[in-house]
Every structure is written in C-alpha cells, then in structure tokens.
Amino acid sequence: MPTISSGISIALQAVLTHSQVLEITEHNVANASTPGYRRQAAILTTDTPTSINGADHGIGAGQRGSGVTIDRIQRFNLAYFDGRFRSVSAEAKNWETQSGILSQLEATLAETSDEGLLNKLDQFWGTWQSLSNDPTNTSLRTVLLDDANTVALALNRRSSQIIQLRSDQNNAISGSVEEINSLASQIAQLNGEIARVNSVGEQPNDLMDKRDLALDRLAEITGAVSSEQKNGEVLVSVGGHALVVGRDTFQLETRTSTTDSSVLDVYWEDNQKLNLLSGELKGTLEVRDRVLVDQMNGLNTFAAQLASQVNAIHRTGYGINNATNLDFFTGTDAASIAVNPNLDALSIATSSAANQAGNNTVALQILDLKNFKGMSGNTATLNEYYNAQVTGLAVLTKRAADNSYQHGLVVHALGNQRESVAGVSLDEEAANMAKAQKAYQAAARVLTAYDELLNVVINQMGLVGR
Amino acid sequence: MRVTNRMMAENAIQNLADNMEKVNNLQNKLALNKNFLVASDDPTRASASMSLRSNLKALDSYSEAADLAQNWMTATDSAFDRLEQLAVRANDLILRGLTDTLTGDDRAETLGAEMQSIAKEAVEIGNTSVNGQYIFSGYQVNQKAFSLGDSPTTLSDYQGNPFTPMVVNYLGDQGNIQRSIGPDQSVTLNVRGDQAVFGFLQNLILATNALTQNNVRDTGDPLTDPLTLESIKTSMKASLDTLDQYRTSNGAHMRQVDSAANFLESIKIETKSLLSSNEDINIAEGIALLSNQQTTYNAVLEVSQRAMSALSLFDYLR
C-alpha cells in the first residue's frame, strides 16, 4: 500500500541518484584531457519494485515501482581496440627508434658531403695520379702521405663512431629495462587492487585506466601483450615469457654481452635471454646488433682490402731512395688502419726498379687499383663497394623512416577510433548535465509536493470542531 | 563517428606538425639547392651522385695528367725543332766543306769551329728539361741525357798538330715513361735520347773532327773512309731521318693526348650536367611547391584555429 513515506523515499532516491549522475558528468569533464582516461556513465535502472495485491486494497493492480537507482558506472572501453592499438604502436615505436639511431649514424658519417670517405679516397687516388705524372716531386709525395693519412683517419673515425653509437645504446637499454620493471610492478599492484574492488562488486574504473595506460607504455617499449582474467587481473607477457602474473612480476636485468664487452644484453631473472618481436627496445637492439654490425663489417672489409691491395703492389716497387718491400698501410681493419709509420715521402714506391727516378710503373699500377674490381666477389671496385655500403645504409634509414611514418598514421587512426569510443565529448557532457539537472529539479519538486501533503496531514487534519 | 574535443585538438596539432615539416623540408632543399640532404632522402640519386662525383674527380686527374703530358711533349717538339735548324746549318757547313776550292785552313778554322759550336749547342738541347726533369734521359729524369767531354785519344789536325776531339755519352737509360690519360688509356710520354738524338750528336762531332782534320774525300780505304766528310754527309742524312721520324712519332703522341684532353673536357661537361640534374633542385619548381605548401599551411592554421576555439554546448546552456 502506498504511503507518504515511501513516496518521499522515491523522491529522495531520485534526488540522490541524479546528483550522483551530475557528479559523474563532472568527473568526465574534469578528466577531458587526462591521458588514458575513459569516459564513464551512470547506468540508471529502476529500483526493485514492490508487489501489491490490488484486489486486496481495491486500488489497482500490478507491481509498484520504487524509483530510480544507479545499476553501475560504465567505463567506455573496447578491449579489441586496445589490443590493436598496442600492437601497432609497438611496431611504430620499433621503426621510430631504428630511424632515430640510423639518422644519427647517417648524419655523423655525412657521406654525401665533402666530409665523405669517398671524397677522401678519390683525393688519395688523384694524388697517386699526380705522383705518377711527376714521380720525383718530393712535395707531391708529402701530399700523398697526407692524403693517405686522411683516408686512414676517416676510416678510424667511422669505426670509432659506430662503436660509440653501439655503446651509447647501453643507456637507452638500461633505461628501458628499468622502465619495464617499474611498469610491471605498477601493473601487478593495480591487478591486486582491481581484483579486490571487483570482488566486492564495484567497478574499479579509474584503476583500470591507470593500468591500461601502463600497458600502453609497456607495449610501446616491448610489444607486450596482455589478456584479462575473470577476476579482472591481467596476464602480461613479453616475447612469449610472462612478465606479470596476478600480483607477481618477473624482473629483467642487463648484463654485459658475452660476445662484446662494450655492450649490454637483456636477460630475465631466470637467465633466459629476452626475445622481442617489436617495440622501442627491439628497435634499439635490432639496429645495434644487426645494422651497425653489418656496417662495421663492411667498413672493416673495405679497410682491409684497401690496405692489402695497395700493399701488395707497393711492396714490389722502389722509392726514390731505392727503399723497397715496404708496406704502405699498416693495420687489418677500419679501427687499426694507418699509414706505415716507417714510410717517409722518399720511400713511397713509384718505380719498378732501383735507380730509375722517372719510372712510374708502380705508381700507375696502384692508380689502376681505383678501377680494379676486387670486392664483392670481383664485381666491384673499392669505390663501388663503399658506395653500395652507403646506399645500403641509406635504404635502411629511409625504410625505417617510411615505416615509422606509416605505422604512425595507423597508430593515429586507431587512437582516434579508441578516442571516439572512450573520449570525453564536452557537448555530450553538457547535454547529460542538463538532463540530470532537470531530473534533479523534477525530483526536488516531487519532494516539495510530499512536503505539502505532510503539511496537510500534520497541520490541517483533525481540526474539525476546534 | 563520435568526435571528441580532444580528438579535434590532437588532429589539429598533427596536421600543423605535418605541414610544418613539409615546409621545413622544402625550405632546406631550396636553401642548399639540393634534391636530397642526406643519402636516405633519395638513396638512388645519392648513390648516382657519389659515383658521378668520383668520376668527375678522376676526370680532373686525367685532365691534369694530359696537360702535363702536353707540356712535356711540346718541349720535346720544340727541342726537335731547334735540333733540325741546327741540322740544316750543319748540312750547309758539310756541303761547303765538300767544295774543293776550300783550303784546309778554311775548313778547320771557319767551318770546323762553327761545327763544334753547333755540336755543343745540340748537346745543350739534348739536355732540355721540363719542370727540372730531363726529357731525353728515359727513366733517369734527374740526370742530364748527354755529357760532352774530351776524348782520351788525340787526333792530328790539317797541319799535323794534335788536338783533342770531343766525345758525347748517353747517360740516360732505356725507360719508356707511360702516362695514364684515361681509364685503360696510356701514352708513351718520352722520346729516348739514345734512339732519337744520340746518332745526330755523334755525327756532329765526327763532322767537326773531319773538318778539323781536313779529311774530305773517300779514298777507297774501308778503314778511314767512314770518317771522311763525304761519308759523314750520308750518315748525317740518316740521323736527320731518325730525328724526323721520332719528331713525327712525338707529334702523333701529342695529337693522341690532345684528342684525349678534348674528350675528357667534353665528358667532364657531360658529367657535371648529369650531376647537376641528378642532385640540384629545380628552383622554379621548388619555389612553386614551397609557396603552395605555405598556402596549405595557412589554411591548416586557419581551420585549426576555428576547430579548437569552436563554441561548445556549455556556452549555450543556462
């Protein structure tokens, strides 16, 4: 049977509910630009109705509604978008990192400018040519030593720059490992809290936002994938190895590489080596262990061949002081190549026999090396080999930049899709606010009506005959 | 699609950044007048540029070699020219010496003395140097090609007095210097003094001796006849032919170097224009692109400003 007090209770419930809806709208508006925030909405539902037996009381039939209540606070999120977004952003970050390191290398090598190695090598050949024109010219000989030194130093510099660039990545790697470990701990802790909140039937919306933000970042670094369990916890794995299970984490650590003591490798605490498929860290390791190593090997082959080809001919010749059987270059790779310290200007061999000052046969033979196809299985000259090396690097750099740009576009598009579902639209919130406000006002008016009813009952009833 | 305020702002920022980057790229390319700034901007063109630049450098070296070879050969040719002038005069003197009306005194004091000075001058010419290098010495470029000295044996002149004849020696060697004036193209630079000049110098000395000795006509004695003025006239003719032959061959080498140098020049021009079309930006096109991009950028700015400052429903509710 309806009572005034149950009517007041319905009205009060409505006032409280709509004020909470307003609060949720306020929360949305306040977090309109908070990273990782998913908009929330109150799902309103009717409260449990009470049964009345209409026939008994003669006032109609059916169940009587008992007002409005908030069923739950919905968090707008699509797990599917999260998974797609993370896998693409991991790939984008992988290429972005590669592109960054490679552009750095390209800029320091500056092969297309006057500082390029090829320029210096051409200068070296050019001076040999001049010397072949004028083998008795001592100043040309000094210039040649100088040019040869420039080539050797350019090779040394490139070698040390690549080594430097490789060890520079150590900072990036240990930084990433620290960040992964801290994100993993954060996720494990949030897992605990989320499971607890879920278990009491509440919605840990803001905690899930925080966890998703951490998962986004973790995916950017490592390409980590996650799956949600029934109790709300997520399982995170990186390259097939578990990183977070419930409230536990597996930590990563950096160790000095077994093959190269100047660089760091990443291992799990159970001694397995970290195996990555995408992400920033993958990009860093990929460039360091593959591209830079290839460049280094190419540079070493180039230096070794330059030295051995020139030396082989130079040893057969005679200097103007009849010195013979001298190496022109010493060293066997890009780091160690240098002009033979025992070679002075007069000892540079130009002649094929002793005591023949004008004999330039050996100088011409060395000059011919410029056109000698002794590289890449006798298909390329030294110049062509290095040209191919530079072009190869340029193609890799361009590919990394292109891929980074294209994946970036996809990340942007997927981000927009996700934002489309989860983002806060201020217009929408304004409308919701107006709706809640009106409902609140209406409920408050109902309360006033009941107030007047009570006034009638209490102050005006039973005054007959007074 | 549901569009949120944040999405609008982020898209606007992204569009601005993209356009800014394009404007920046065009600006850099125009400022440096290059189609690419680093190799990865355009690996194919960059690779082509590097080899073209290499070629250009090599062509410069070859041109330089050809120039130097031309200097050397011109000096050789002018040495031959002077030698031939001397040869004409020497021939004159020999012919006059063969005139029967001359006395031994005429031959020795007038003709012989002049012939001796011609021989000395010819040796001087044989020792011509270019850039401090003796051109007739083979590989021994630091060494004079010929030395003129006194013979250890004396002869007697037309009056029966003894005199010391001159003797010439070749101090060079048999080296043929090669010059590289193009890929797989080389040319012999020098003319060897022992082959081209030595015979002529010796004949000049023999002629001097014959004039001094007044040894004019062949007598039929095979031992002394080769030293008479009459037979020297014949051998002088032969050595003049030799001079001529080597001068011609030097001339042929000069023409070879000349045509190589011309070829190198034309290839150089071609390579330079290839290099330029490969890496230099088309300025008119670049500026048109830039101004187009700037217009776009202005439009993006305008649109972004409107999108971001657009009124929201909050402004209308009361």
Side-chain angles (χ1 to χ4, degrees):
Chain A
M1 189 185 129
T3 61
I4 287 180
S5 69
S6 77
I8 288 177
S9 139
I10 291 177
L12 178 63
Q13 176 85 348
V15 164
L16 292 177
T17 301
H18 289 297
S19 81
Q20 194 175 350
V21 169
L22 262 180
E23 215 167 79
I24 290 169
T25 301
E26 195 184 351
H27 188 53
N28 280 340
V29 172
N31 285 298
S33 53
T34 305
Y37 181 75
R38 267 76 161 166
R39 79 187 152 111
Q40 299 174 8
I43 304 297
L44 299 183
T45 183
T46 50
D47 212 350
T48 322
T50 48
S51 282
I52 48 167
N53 192 331
D56 282 356
H57 308 286
I59 52 161
Q63 288 197 316
R64 191 163 54 92
S66 60
V68 68
T69 186
I70 293 181
D71 182 42
R72 61 198 165 89
I73 300 172
Q74 192 194 352
R75 172 174 178 263
F76 283 83
N77 190 45
L78 286 179
Y80 166 74
F81 280 153
D82 283 339
R84 285 278 294 135
F85 179 81
R86 282 174 199 151
S87 90
V88 174
S89 78
E91 201 52 28
K93 282 288 173 187
N94 174 7
W95 290 113
E96 190 184 314
T97 312
Q98 294 201 21
S99 165
I101 304 173
L102 290 174
S103 317
Q104 221 176 318
L105 178 65
E106 197 175 39
T108 52
L109 297 186
E111 294 298 0
T112 46
S113 75
D114 289 344
E115 278 307 294
L117 178 62
L118 281 180
N119 242 341
K120 296 178 168 151
L121 190 66
D122 286 332
Q123 182 67 41
F124 174 68
W125 298 128
T127 311
W128 268 111
Q129 171 120 29
S130 304
L131 187 60
S132 83
N133 293 336
D134 192 359
T136 55
N137 189 331
T138 327
S139 63
L140 265 184
R141 288 168 175 269
T142 315
V143 172
L144 177 61
L145 280 184
D146 206 47
D147 287 346
N149 248 321
T150 311
V151 171
L153 285 177
L155 283 166
N156 300 157
R157 192 174 68 88
R158 276 163 178 70
S159 169
S160 68
Q161 269 167 342
I162 294 178
I163 291 171
Q164 182 66 42
L165 198 55
R166 289 193 75 209
S167 57
D168 280 354
Q169 303 314 316
N170 288 347
N171 285 337
I173 290 166
S174 37
S176 291
V177 166
E178 269 171 40
E179 198 177 351
I180 295 168
N181 286 338
S182 114
L183 285 169
S185 314
Q186 208 179 322
I187 291 169
Q189 194 194 343
L190 285 165
N191 264 348
E193 289 176 40
I194 287 169
R196 186 183 54 74
V197 175
N198 272 334
S199 69
V200 297
E202 291 174 1
Q203 293 88 41
N205 291 344
D206 295 336
L207 294 175
M208 288 170 81
D209 285 351
K210 284 209 178 87
R211 191 176 64 182
D212 273 333
L213 198 61
L215 285 170
D216 280 356
R217 177 67 191 136
L218 195 60
E220 277 182 2
I221 308 175
T222 62
V225 289
S226 59
S227 59
E228 194 163 341
Q229 310 294 105
K230 282 229 169 61
N231 64 357
E233 291 177 345
V234 289
L235 237 165
V236 184
S237 66
V238 172
H241 192 293
L243 177 70
V244 182
V245 178
R247 294 162 210 203
D248 298 322
T249 63
F250 290 88
Q251 299 280 306
L252 287 167
E253 57 197 43
T254 55
R255 295 182 194 168
T256 305
S257 166
T258 47
T259 49
D260 180 350
S261 61
S262 68
V263 297
L264 297 175
D265 276 339
V266 186
Y267 286 87
W268 292 98
E269 58 185 320
D270 59 12
N271 292 329
Q272 290 188 48
K273 199 170 174 181
L274 177 68
N275 172 32
L276 290 171
L277 299 173
S278 61
E280 276 172 26
L281 191 54
K282 163 78 173 173
T284 308
L285 292 169
E286 174 82 4
V287 170
R288 190 194 73 182
D289 293 341
R290 220 173 48 76
V291 183
L292 292 185
V293 168
D294 282 355
Q295 282 291 316
M296 191 67 173
N297 289 343
L299 204 61
N300 283 339
T301 310
F302 176 83
Q305 279 293 317
L306 174 68
S308 74
Q309 289 181 12
V310 171
N311 285 345
I313 296 174
H314 191 264
R315 271 200 298 269
T316 66
Y318 293 81
I320 204 145
N321 57 3
N322 289 335
T324 185
N325 206 21
L326 280 171
D327 277 338
F328 192 87
F329 287 114
T330 57
T332 51
D333 58 20
S336 62
I337 191 170
V339 175
N340 185 354
N342 298 325
L343 187 76
D344 57 38
L346 295 178
S347 313
I348 294 175
T350 47
S351 164
S352 57
N355 294 320
Q356 292 186 344
N359 184 337
N360 61 359
T361 315
V362 166
L364 288 177
Q365 280 172 354
I366 290 179
L367 181 57
D368 274 348
L369 287 178
K370 184 182 170 173
N371 300 317
F372 172 63
K373 292 188 186 294
M375 308 294 290
S376 313
N378 293 339
T379 58
T381 64
L382 282 164
N383 280 45
E384 285 164 356
Y385 177 84
Y386 195 70
N387 189 327
Q389 178 92 6
V390 173
T391 312
L393 177 65
V395 169
L396 285 180
T397 312
K398 184 172 163 55
R399 190 186 65 177
D402 287 352
N403 279 345
S404 158
Y405 178 72
Q406 275 150 20
H407 282 94
L409 289 182
V410 180
V411 169
H412 186 72
L414 284 175
N416 271 347
Q417 268 184 358
R418 193 159 80 156
E419 174 74 12
S420 171
V421 172
V424 176
S425 159
L426 292 177
D427 289 344
E428 211 173 271
E429 297 307 325
N432 284 341
M433 184 186 80
K435 211 164 69 180
Q437 195 183 357
K438 294 282 186 241
Y440 183 97
Q441 281 169 357
R445 287 286 287 278
V446 172
L447 258 184
T448 318
Y450 273 105
D451 188 34
E452 281 177 15
L453 288 187
L454 278 176
N455 191 27
V456 169
V457 170
I458 295 167
N459 293 328
Q460 296 176 20
M461 278 171 93
L463 295 180
V464 174
R466 195 183 275 183
Chain B
M1 185 169 169
R2 186 175 168 271
V3 175
T4 69
N5 303 67
R6 185 158 140 203
M7 211 191 277
M8 299 253 284
E10 276 177 6
N11 284 346
I13 292 169
Q14 178 83 37
N15 288 336
L16 284 172
D18 281 356
N19 273 284
M20 190 68 145
E21 193 185 341
K22 284 178 189 158
V23 171
N24 181 47
N25 271 345
L26 281 169
Q27 255 173 5
N28 282 340
K29 284 179 180 177
L30 275 170
L32 293 170
N33 188 28
K34 289 275 176 276
N35 265 326
F36 50 87
L37 306 177
V38 286
S40 62
D41 284 350
D42 194 337
T44 325
R45 275 173 192 267
S47 167
S49 259
M50 282 188 288
S51 37
L52 286 171
R53 223 179 272 283
S54 245
N55 288 348
L56 206 56
K57 194 111 189 171
L59 290 171
D60 278 341
S61 296
Y62 286 131
S63 283
E64 190 195 329
D67 281 351
L68 289 172
Q70 270 172 330
N71 288 349
W72 178 294
M73 288 171 170
T74 310
T76 309
D77 191 66
S78 84
F80 275 124
D81 189 52
R82 289 170 62 201
L83 286 175
E84 284 181 358
Q85 284 173 19
L86 290 179
V88 170
R89 182 67 189 147
N91 235 358
D92 255 17
L93 294 176
I94 290 172
L95 288 179
R96 277 171 63 192
L98 286 172
T99 314
D100 290 336
T101 51
L102 283 186
T103 63
D105 183 56
D106 287 338
R107 289 199 178 93
E109 301 302 335
T110 318
L111 304 181
E114 189 176 349
M115 190 63 90
Q116 186 175 28
S117 77
I118 287 175
K120 282 183 180 160
E121 197 181 338
V123 169
E124 280 305 305
I125 295 172
N127 288 334
T128 302
S129 66
V130 171
N131 273 342
Q133 303 190 327
Y134 295 98
I135 60 178
F136 288 114
S137 305
Y139 284 149
Q140 304 299 331
V141 291
N142 288 338
Q143 177 75 52
K144 284 186 178 180
F146 303 102
S147 69
L148 195 60
D150 294 335
S151 166
T153 55
T154 56
L155 298 172
S156 37
D157 65 9
Y158 67 105
Q159 292 170 323
N161 299 327
F163 76 96
T164 314
M166 297 182 296
V167 63
V168 66
N169 284 312
Y170 178 61
L171 304 177
D173 61 14
Q174 279 73 48
N176 290 317
I177 301 174
Q178 299 293 315
R179 270 295 150 82
S180 179
I181 51 170
D184 297 324
Q185 190 187 7
S186 61
V187 65
T188 306
L189 179 71
N190 62 332
V191 172
R192 268 165 49 193
D194 58 337
Q195 292 176 325
V197 187
F198 192 48
F200 175 60
L201 297 180
Q202 274 180 323
N203 279 329
L204 287 175
I205 289 171
L206 290 179
T208 309
N209 294 348
L211 286 167
T212 312
Q213 288 176 302
N214 197 19
N215 188 2
V216 185
R217 296 285 169 196
D218 288 353
T219 55
D221 179 351
L223 214 62
T224 55
D225 274 359
L227 296 176
T228 63
L229 207 52
E230 196 171 0
S231 39
I232 287 168
K233 186 186 146 206
T234 323
S235 52
M236 183 64 101
K237 176 103 183 39
S239 58
L240 278 182
D241 286 347
T242 313
L243 271 185
D244 217 42
Q245 175 198 336
Y246 279 97
R247 188 182 180 182
T248 312
S249 120
N250 182 54
H253 288 157
M254 274 175 86
R255 270 195 300 284
Q256 192 185 342
V257 172
D258 240 13
S259 86
N262 288 339
F263 182 65
L264 286 171
E265 273 315 307
S266 67
I267 297 266
K268 247 160 76 177
I269 291 168
E270 207 170 299
T271 309
K272 273 184 191 157
S273 87
L274 271 178
L275 188 62
S276 160
S277 75
N278 189 52
E279 64 178 27
D280 293 353
I281 197 165
N282 178 337
I283 293 190
E285 190 189 337
I287 287 179
L289 283 175
L290 179 64
S291 76
N292 191 19
Q293 197 62 54
Q294 277 169 337
T295 313
T296 314
Y297 184 60
N298 279 339
V300 173
L301 274 176
E302 181 68 32
V303 168
S304 307
Q305 177 253 334
R306 289 189 194 184
M308 284 199 286
S309 64
L311 295 170
S312 86
L313 188 53
F314 279 109
D315 296 317
Y316 290 92
L317 286 174
R318 52 189 74 251

